[in-house]
Amino acid sequence: MITAFQVQTPQTAPKLVQIAAPTPKKGQVLLKIEACGLNFADLLMAKGTYQDTPEPPFTLGLEVCGTVLEVGEGVTHPEIGARVAVFGGQGGLAEQGVFPADLCLPVPDKMPAEVAAGFMVAYGTSHLALTRRAHLRADETLLVLGAAGGVGLTAIEVGKALGATVIAVARGADKLAVAKAAGADHVLDSDNDDILAAVKALGGADVVYDPVGGDLFKAALRACNREARVLTIGFASGDVPQIPANIILVKNISVIGFYWGGYLKFNQAALLDSLAELMTWWADGRLKPHVSHIVPLAQAQDALDLLEKRKSTGKVVVTP
């Protein structure tokens, strides 16, 4: 038996339970889980409101780092004993879990488990969104909303690695300091600054990275330069904004939807190639992942609460 943090019915909150140790099926590997990175999607899945919520019962936790204990039929890579990171979509908040072998990425020897576990979704989202979808250029200005969060901080780092000037928007002095430390050229307080006026004073935005939605989206859209690209990454504010077509028409603005996990269904190669490049960037010292909290599995609900109550910066990671 192993311990897992599960959603057992649509009407009940997730809880720690004892379940049978899983066995890998064809094309799967069994991992001893060293760490699991939490994401806003975990909160939505716990409430049954995420677009890819599995049928209960299921174990929360989208991304993990672990060691291969056993392989299923047909699996030649990774081998038993290999240390890997994988985005499985569920199953990470447990002592062991089974995951698709073809999604496993080798983890650099020097990369800590808590870094590897929280690396894929946050960095993968920002890298693929800014390179493949927004085509961010070195001479452009990137405006990052929710800049001290898990994906926000990675957007700052990836934007700087691509040569852009980065304006970061976050709430409060502590979070602004984290964004500045990640490399932001300018920081703005969403509670106290006039975001529209401030961004315009800095020359406007060529690319907007928005995991927040709501009023910040509206201000950012109006602060866009001509031919800007606005990436809709998520709606952490709970407010899905309506897009005024007249503004995007007059300024030739593109509003681009981006769902990183969707690439597993229609272009898995693009996702894996992006992650492989990011692992190289980390090994070269170009990325400095920020993990604000490491929480034991026994306190998994407390870890989710950190996300929901906006008390974290960067990543929250759970360790069995």
Side-chain angles (χ1 to χ4, degrees):
M1 302 293 284
I2 63 168
T3 301
F5 191 63
Q6 280 199 342
V7 175
Q8 296 193 300
T9 72
Q11 293 78 32
T12 58
K15 63 180 181 178
L16 287 169
V17 296
Q18 294 292 307
I19 62 173
T23 300
K25 299 178 181 177
K26 183 177 181 179
Q28 294 181 329
V29 296
L30 172 67
L31 297 186
K32 177 184 179 181
I33 297 172
E34 298 174 23
C36 174
L38 292 190
N39 296 274
F40 192 76
D42 288 303
L43 289 173
L44 300 179
M45 288 173 69
K47 298 174 182 178
T49 58
Y50 191 57
Q51 60 261 30
D52 281 337
T53 300
E55 287 294 322
F58 67 91
T59 300
L60 289 168
L62 278 69
E63 54 179 341
V64 303
C65 174
T67 302
V68 178
L69 294 176
E70 188 179 341
V71 300
E73 180 185 348
V75 175
T76 58
H77 180 80
E79 298 177 345
I80 292 174
R83 191 161 169 264
V84 298
V86 60
F87 174 82
Q90 59 173 301
L93 288 177
E95 294 171 316
Q96 297 179 12
V98 291
F99 303 95
D102 60 357
L103 296 182
C104 291
L105 291 169
V107 173
D109 291 339
K110 295 182 179 180
M111 180 180 272
E114 61 270 18
V115 171
F119 189 86
M120 290 166 289
V121 173
Y123 279 103
T125 294
S126 293
H127 183 263
L128 209 57
L130 292 173
T131 58
R132 184 182 179 90
R133 299 291 282 145
H135 302 288
L136 178 67
R137 300 190 302 268
D139 62 345
E140 293 186 312
T141 295
L142 168 66
L143 174 62
V144 180
L145 308 181
V151 293
L153 279 178
T154 63
I156 295 172
E157 286 193 89
V158 172
K160 292 303 297 180
L162 295 171
T165 298
V166 177
I167 304 171
V169 179
R171 178 178 294 171
D174 291 345
K175 291 188 175 182
L176 292 178
V178 171
K180 190 71 173 178
D185 298 284
H186 309 281
V187 293
L188 302 174
D189 190 332
S190 58
D191 280 343
N192 299 310
D193 291 325
D194 183 330
I195 301 303
L196 172 58
V199 174
K200 281 189 170 182
L202 291 169
D206 300 304
V207 173
V208 176
Y209 183 96
D210 178 23
V212 179
D215 289 339
L216 281 178
F217 172 92
K218 299 171 187 176
L221 184 65
R222 286 167 172 78
C224 279
N225 295 326
R226 298 184 186 280
E227 292 194 327
R229 288 85 73 202
V230 180
L231 289 160
T232 58
I233 305 296
F235 312 104
S237 67
D239 180 358
V240 179
Q242 301 303 301
I243 300 169
N246 60 317
I247 294 178
I248 62 174
L249 182 152
V250 171
K251 287 191 174 183
N252 290 291
I253 294 171
S254 299
V255 180
I256 303 168
F258 184 79
Y259 170 40
W260 183 79
Y263 279 81
L264 290 173
K265 299 178 180 178
F266 71 90
N267 194 342
Q268 183 174 304
L271 187 150
L272 293 176
D273 288 347
S274 168
L275 288 174
E277 181 174 0
L278 286 164
M279 286 291 187
T280 300
W281 284 13
W282 181 88
D284 291 342
R286 299 175 67 184
L287 304 175
K288 305 293 183 184
H290 177 80
V291 178
S292 66
H293 295 81
I294 300 174
V295 182
L297 180 60
Q299 298 172 21
Q301 184 58 56
D302 294 337
L304 287 177
D305 290 343
L306 288 169
L307 292 183
E308 187 160 35
K309 296 175 182 177
R310 309 289 195 272
K311 291 183 178 180
S312 62
T313 56
K315 293 295 291 192
V316 175
V317 173
V318 174
T319 56

